[in-house]
Amino acid sequence: MKVEKFNDPLARRSHQLHFETLRLDTPFQPRLAELSQTNDWYSWAGYKAPHSLYDEELEYFAIRSTAAVFDISPMTKYRIAGSDAEAFLNRLMIRDVRKLGVGRVHYTAWCDDHGHVLDDGTLFHLGPSEYRLCCQERHLPWLLDSADGFSVEIREETTDIAGLALQGPTSYAVLRNAGFAGVEQLKPFQIAHFPLQGGTVTISRTGFTGDLGYELFVPRALALDLWDRLFTAGAAHGIRAIGYSALNRARIEAGFIVANADFITSETALRGNRLRTPDEIGLEWMVDMEKPNFNGRHAIQIARTKGKLRHVLVGLEIEGNVPPELSLVYHRKKKEAGIVTAAIWSPLAKRNIAIASLERPYGSRISDDLWVEIYALRELQYQKMMKRAKIVPRPFIALPRRTATPPALF
């Protein structure tokens, strides 16, 4: 057998067998590795990402009490540009892209032809005829196929662009101390560009925590410069790096959903009854039926008018203090009604809260006498508990500082 030697690391990687291939490093991995005390990593879209770095609870309280930094570089990112960029995106998205002004961001979703959600994400309008689409799953073949007939250029820039989420009450103070003058003028879902080491950092007032917060995007080569600048400026403001476990707690409190956790995307679903329309995962408010035709419009309209909506996503408050994640929901303790997709004991709300997918009519016409089946491990023995649940609005918490403009320094 001939053995080939490669001095170039990229060449070596391309010739590795799939089970020998290591998870990729994000541009911020050197800093994360230095801070990691738990060595608790997971794979996010092929990248090495931290579940936690030192202590999950303390990381959560960094979000709610000071400033927390989370590496969002593995998030899939597409640059979509060209004279038909707006028309192309408006054909795909369930929201009206024509209403998204330059320098603005909106949360959106897109469907297949049957009205089932392919994914959700954020759409950044960076400049005239230029957008960035950020999402959980990879969709490049689908985007390219959908672009037939449009004058548009689509390029994945996941590896080229590094991203950080800076979230928490002192996040604005950190940015001000870092020298990003004018960032206080950013309103929620607004974008601005700032100089950084001869390049540019794009800052948006967005996030996944329901708190005051920002997301920062830079070319890969400037990633560590950005990190060091933030942590130097934030030393007096309690800045801490965090992992996904802490972020997940905050997003549940905020009532936000995660693809392939709270709903299964249509490209990854193996069973037909796992598919969901926007109305079945709480995104009905996004669907703009007044705009020109878009993917799935006809199917969504039929589902609405002919009563074909089979599921509903709800917020639950459950008695007790044991989070019922992935527990079954019952009506009158007998009839299975759905499943809890995410749950925590909320330190901020002081409640046991959950997001659940229910089968209609539960959660719509029938909303009383709901119970959750919980198996709690008590000294090597599981104890079955039936706890009463009631449907409550999302978000579970609402923090005025999230939208205050200009934000306070705290």
Side-chain angles (χ1 to χ4, degrees):
M1 180 173 60
K2 183 180 179 182
V3 178
E4 294 185 81
K5 294 183 179 180
F6 298 95
N7 295 322
D8 182 359
L10 292 179
R12 281 201 306 272
R13 179 177 295 167
S14 67
H15 283 75
Q16 284 178 322
L17 297 175
H18 68 88
F19 54 81
E20 294 177 336
T21 303
L22 299 176
R23 288 175 293 189
L24 301 174
D25 288 342
T26 77
F28 300 107
Q29 181 61 28
R31 299 295 184 267
L32 291 170
E34 290 174 356
L35 295 172
S36 178
Q37 299 176 18
T38 59
N39 199 30
D40 183 13
W41 306 92
Y42 73 104
S43 182
W44 175 10
Y47 286 85
K48 188 176 183 179
H51 267 129
S52 66
L53 290 167
Y54 50 97
D55 182 279
E56 179 183 330
E57 291 193 9
L58 292 178
E59 291 173 39
Y60 161 82
F61 283 109
I63 300 172
R64 296 298 184 220
S65 302
T66 55
V69 173
F70 180 71
D71 183 3
I72 57 174
S73 300
M75 183 168 55
T76 304
K77 299 176 282 290
Y78 296 106
R79 181 65 64 101
I80 301 170
S83 58
D84 288 342
E86 179 186 278
F88 166 67
L89 288 166
N90 210 33
R91 177 66 175 79
L92 301 184
M93 304 296 157
I94 62 176
R95 295 187 73 172
D96 196 334
V97 178
R98 298 172 302 178
K99 298 176 182 179
L100 181 64
V102 174
R104 299 288 299 174
V105 188
H106 70 199
Y107 173 47
T108 189
W110 47 102
C111 299
D112 61 20
D113 292 341
H114 304 288
H116 299 132
V117 178
L118 276 163
D119 209 347
D120 65 341
T122 45
L123 183 64
F124 294 71
H125 197 168
L126 300 176
S129 302
E130 187 174 10
Y131 298 82
R132 174 180 292 144
L133 179 63
C134 297
C135 52
Q136 181 75 7
E137 303 296 320
R138 283 190 159 83
H139 301 285
L140 186 58
W142 178 77
L143 288 170
L144 293 174
D145 288 345
S146 300
D148 189 31
F150 292 94
S151 179
V152 65
E153 179 183 344
I154 303 167
R155 178 172 60 88
E156 181 171 355
E157 56 181 13
T158 304
T159 59
D160 302 327
I161 301 296
L164 288 177
L166 175 66
Q167 304 285 300
T170 67
S171 56
Y172 160 60
V174 172
L175 291 178
R176 190 188 73 159
N177 282 9
F180 297 117
V183 73
E184 70 279 358
Q185 299 174 14
L186 281 181
K187 297 178 181 179
F189 296 98
Q190 193 171 8
I191 308 166
H193 308 283
F194 300 87
L196 176 71
Q197 296 295 101
T200 301
V201 54
T202 299
I203 302 179
S204 61
R205 190 164 169 186
T206 51
F208 204 52
T209 63
D211 215 310
L212 173 63
Y214 303 84
E215 291 176 322
L216 298 85
F217 299 92
V218 291
R220 185 183 186 97
L222 296 178
L224 296 184
D225 289 325
L226 175 63
W227 180 284
D228 294 341
R229 186 167 175 176
L230 291 178
F231 274 78
T232 299
H237 297 285
I239 192 169
R240 301 295 296 265
I242 66 167
Y244 180 74
S245 296
L247 182 76
N248 190 52
R249 289 190 181 196
R251 75 91 182 172
I252 294 172
E253 288 180 329
F256 297 147
I257 59 175
V258 173
N260 291 320
D262 300 296
F263 71 97
I264 305 299
T265 60
S266 66
E267 278 192 335
T268 58
L270 300 178
R271 298 165 179 84
N273 63 352
R274 305 303 197 265
L275 301 169
R276 298 291 187 269
T277 67
D279 295 36
E280 293 176 310
I281 57 173
L283 301 184
E284 64 281 351
W285 59 273
M286 282 190 186
V287 182
D288 193 335
M289 288 295 190
E290 302 302 317
K291 63 179 271 189
N293 188 40
F294 57 92
N295 277 20
R297 184 186 189 280
H298 183 61
I300 293 170
Q301 190 171 39
I302 289 177
R304 288 179 171 184
T305 57
K306 296 190 176 182
K308 291 187 175 183
L309 298 172
R310 296 184 175 88
H311 303 89
V312 61
L313 202 73
V314 300
L316 293 179
E317 182 178 329
I318 298 122
E319 64 179 352
N321 61 1
V322 180
E325 189 168 9
L326 300 180
S327 296
L328 292 175
V329 182
Y330 290 89
H331 181 241
R332 296 180 179 174
K333 297 186 180 181
K334 296 180 180 180
K335 177 67 174 177
E336 189 175 320
I339 188 171
V340 171
T341 59
I344 59 163
W345 167 260
S346 167
L348 198 61
K350 300 295 188 292
R351 294 183 290 162
N352 205 12
I353 59 174
I355 298 171
S357 178
L358 304 182
E359 295 183 23
R360 297 174 188 253
Y362 305 110
S364 53
R365 289 190 295 105
I366 302 175
S367 58
D368 61 336
D369 211 356
L370 296 176
W371 298 79
V372 174
E373 181 182 55
I374 303 174
Y375 288 85
L377 186 61
R378 307 293 195 199
E379 297 178 339
L380 301 182
Q381 185 173 343
Y382 277 103
Q383 176 185 351
K384 178 183 174 180
M385 301 182 292
M386 294 295 287
K387 295 293 185 179
R388 187 179 292 275
K390 67 175 181 179
I391 296 176
V392 296
R394 292 180 293 142
F396 300 101
I397 62 163
L399 300 172
R401 64 183 178 237
R402 182 192 180 198
T403 56
T405 306
L409 285 172
F410 292 95

